[in-house]
Amino acid sequence: MESDLAPYTLIVDDDALLRTDIVELLDNVGFRTLEAANSGEAIELLKQHHADIALLFTDVQMPGKNGFVLAQETARSWTHIAIVVVSGDVKPAPGELPEGAHFIAKPFSAETVHGHLQEILPDGQKPAPLKRMSEAN
């Protein structure tokens, strides 16, 4: 990944409206975004673009493999990718989240997401606007 380019986040949610909201939220802190409607699409994007992806932001409930399985597969195959799993209905059981991954319950605020991103992403993977937010606090 070139240091002058913002990192990518892969957003996975089968609800197009929610996915659009999350894209906007992450665009606002400087990420470039890739989108997938299910885990199959997400795995294909990860295979193609994993070197440029800093963050996986996935819902739990969707067609195919759920977000917990996607998170585990991502953590095993691409250890440099930070992981955020979200759900309004399901909370992770012990061991369902990969080590270092964060869970956020829906509905969530932009501030909640930004706080988790500050914790989970190393400084080298934070887009400039997110870094500035961290420095301002």
Side-chain angles (χ1 to χ4, degrees):
M1 188 177 349
E2 294 180 33
S3 60
D4 59 335
L5 293 177
Y8 277 97
T9 182
L10 173 56
I11 299 163
V12 188
D13 198 312
D14 61 324
D15 184 319
L17 290 174
L18 287 174
R19 200 169 57 244
T20 299
D21 288 345
I22 297 165
V23 165
E24 183 178 339
L25 188 153
L26 295 175
D27 277 346
N28 287 340
V29 292
F31 279 100
R32 294 182 291 165
T33 55
L34 298 169
E35 299 177 52
N38 58 56
S39 56
E41 289 178 15
I43 292 292
E44 288 307 310
L45 286 168
L46 284 162
K47 286 178 181 176
Q48 294 171 27
H49 304 285
H50 60 87
D52 296 320
I53 297 172
L55 175 68
L56 170 68
F57 193 100
T58 184
D59 188 30
V60 172
Q61 296 176 306
M62 61 185 144
K65 297 174 186 172
N66 73 35
F68 294 132
V69 174
L70 176 60
Q72 292 284 0
E73 289 181 11
T74 300
R76 265 193 310 276
S77 299
W78 301 287
T79 57
H80 69 281
I81 298 176
I83 300 170
V84 172
V85 178
V86 300
S87 180
D89 300 318
V90 180
K91 291 195 184 326
E96 274 191 302
L97 281 180
E99 186 175 332
H102 282 220
F103 177 80
I104 302 174
K106 289 181 183 176
F108 49 76
S109 67
E111 292 76 21
T112 297
V113 172
H114 298 161
H116 281 275
L117 296 179
Q118 296 291 1
E119 289 178 29
I120 198 170
L121 289 166
D123 283 342
Q125 290 184 321
K126 290 178 186 171
L130 188 62
K131 282 183 190 175
R132 284 191 295 274
M133 292 170 78
S134 175
E135 293 164 359
N137 290 334

